[in-house]
Amino acid sequence: MANNRTFTMLKPDSIENGNIGNIISMITEAGFSIKAMKFTRLSEQQAKEFYAVHSERPFYNELVEYMTSGPIIAAILEKNNAVEDFRTLIGNTDPSLAEKNTIRAKYAESKGRNAVHGSDSDENARIESEFHFSSSEIF
Ligand code: CMP
């Protein structure tokens, strides 16, 4: 996969709070195009595997419980410099520290219920995309 793609999830709080449309508009208005997208719900096993890197952190169980609490939207996005530009668009993990007009400043509730995920490297973008999508689902 080219290094101008990133992977995102709209987390359960975004769906619960009715923010799907507003967040997708912010993403496309920022110049990202959607290469794959699905509405789904993570199983406990999938959430544990996806966040395995955090398994020793004190918030791991809470994170898995939250990410399986309702549906999510998973997507692959394309743009020049996608990974870095998307992390700028979403803002700090902690919404109280996120820059104004970022997705998390506008829509996240807390550090845990923080509206969106964005890959932190090209390598993780590829791994995370392949975790959620088969090649026939990517356009
Ligand atoms: P994200 O960066 O998408 O992936 C790791 C997630 O762990 C992060 O979003 C938060 O949802 C969650 N997280 C990070 N730090 C904390 C924390 N201190 N308390 C609860 N959840 C956290």
Side-chain angles (χ1 to χ4, degrees):
M1 184 174 299
N3 64 3
N4 55 359
R5 289 186 176 189
T6 192
F7 172 79
T8 187
M9 287 184 287
L10 273 56
K11 298 184 179 182
D13 60 301
S14 295
I15 307 339
E16 243 175 83
N17 296 332
N19 293 327
I20 297 174
N22 288 335
I23 293 174
I24 293 175
S25 288
M26 281 183 75
I27 292 171
T28 54
E29 279 164 20
F32 291 88
S33 59
I34 295 166
K35 309 311 283 184
M37 180 169 271
K38 70 169 67 158
F39 197 31
T40 185
R41 184 171 184 163
L42 298 178
S43 66
E44 186 180 338
Q45 192 186 334
Q46 282 177 311
K48 281 184 170 165
E49 197 182 328
F50 188 86
Y51 287 110
V53 66
H54 297 302
S55 62
E56 301 304 319
R57 307 297 268 299
F59 57 82
Y60 180 64
N61 288 341
E62 186 190 326
L63 175 61
V64 169
E65 196 176 319
Y66 159 59
M67 287 302 297
T68 56
S69 67
I72 58 137
I73 288 179
I76 299 174
L77 305 173
E78 188 170 82
K79 183 185 177 296
N80 288 339
N81 204 34
V83 167
E84 198 183 329
D85 286 3
F86 191 68
R87 285 178 72 86
T88 302
L89 177 67
I90 67 180
N92 196 289
T93 305
D94 181 346
S96 68
L97 302 176
E99 295 280 333
K100 208 176 154 212
N101 292 326
T102 58
I103 293 175
R104 284 171 170 160
K106 289 177 113 165
Y107 300 114
E109 295 176 15
S110 64
K111 217 171 174 176
R113 293 172 62 88
N114 65 357
V116 278
H117 167 84
S119 304
D120 63 3
S121 66
D122 290 336
E123 174 66 359
N124 282 337
R126 188 186 57 74
I127 293 168
E128 292 170 0
S129 296
E130 288 174 2
F131 183 90
H132 284 274
F133 295 99
S134 62
S135 57
S136 66
E137 296 174 311
I138 303 172
F139 301 95

